[in-house]
Amino acid sequence: MTDQEVIDLINRSLAEEFELDLEKMVPEANLYEDLGLDSLDAVDMVIVLETAFNFKIRDNDAIKSIRTLGDLYNFVFEKKKKLEAAE
């Protein structure tokens, strides 16, 4: 899966789950201020990502520092790299 495919899957998954406009889904978009998510949505976001990418992220403290879609993309890129390296 390419980086662009990862970004597309994240955007589609979040847009569908939270009824977001794909045009607003840009790397600099703040999840809370620009996209209107709240702390409860953040929990749902973790579940959506776990389902989309088939890996667990709940115990990862790094998820708490994610503020923008770009942060989220980078988090998933790093998680995928670590999992691929472990295989």
Side-chain angles (χ1 to χ4, degrees), residues 5-23:
E5 289 170 331
V6 168
I7 290 169
D8 291 343
L9 181 55
I10 290 170
N11 287 351
R12 280 193 319 271
S13 298
L14 294 181
E16 182 178 314
E17 178 70 21
F18 301 109
E19 299 178 2
L20 301 172
D21 184 353
L22 280 172
E23 292 178 9

Side-chain angles (χ1 to χ4, degrees), residues 45-46 49 57-58 60-66 72 75:
M45 180 181 67
V46 168
L49 294 174
I57 56 177
R58 292 175 203 209
N60 196 316
D61 287 334
I63 196 84
K64 295 175 186 170
S65 65
I66 293 172
L72 183 59
F75 173 82

Side-chain angles (χ1 to χ4, degrees), residues 2-84:
T2 68
D3 286 354
Q4 188 58 50
E5 289 170 331
V6 168
I7 290 169
D8 291 343
L9 181 55
I10 290 170
N11 287 351
R12 280 193 319 271
S13 298
L14 294 181
E16 182 178 314
E17 178 70 21
F18 301 109
E19 299 178 2
L20 301 172
D21 184 353
L22 280 172
E23 292 178 9
K24 293 182 180 180
M25 311 249 338
V26 294
E28 57 275 5
N30 184 291
L31 296 172
Y32 306 101
E33 294 167 12
D34 299 327
L35 300 179
L37 302 184
D38 61 28
S39 59
L40 292 176
D41 292 329
V43 173
D44 290 337
M45 180 181 67
V46 168
I47 295 166
V48 167
L49 294 174
E50 288 178 341
T51 301
F53 293 99
N54 199 30
F55 56 62
K56 293 285 183 195
I57 56 177
R58 292 175 203 209
D59 296 333
N60 196 316
D61 287 334
I63 196 84
K64 295 175 186 170
S65 65
I66 293 172
R67 296 288 175 254
T68 66
L69 276 175
D71 295 341
L72 183 59
Y73 301 153
N74 290 327
F75 173 82
V76 173
F77 295 152
E78 289 301 313
K79 183 75 172 173
K80 281 179 71 305
K81 285 179 192 172
K82 288 177 184 174
L83 291 172
E84 289 168 0

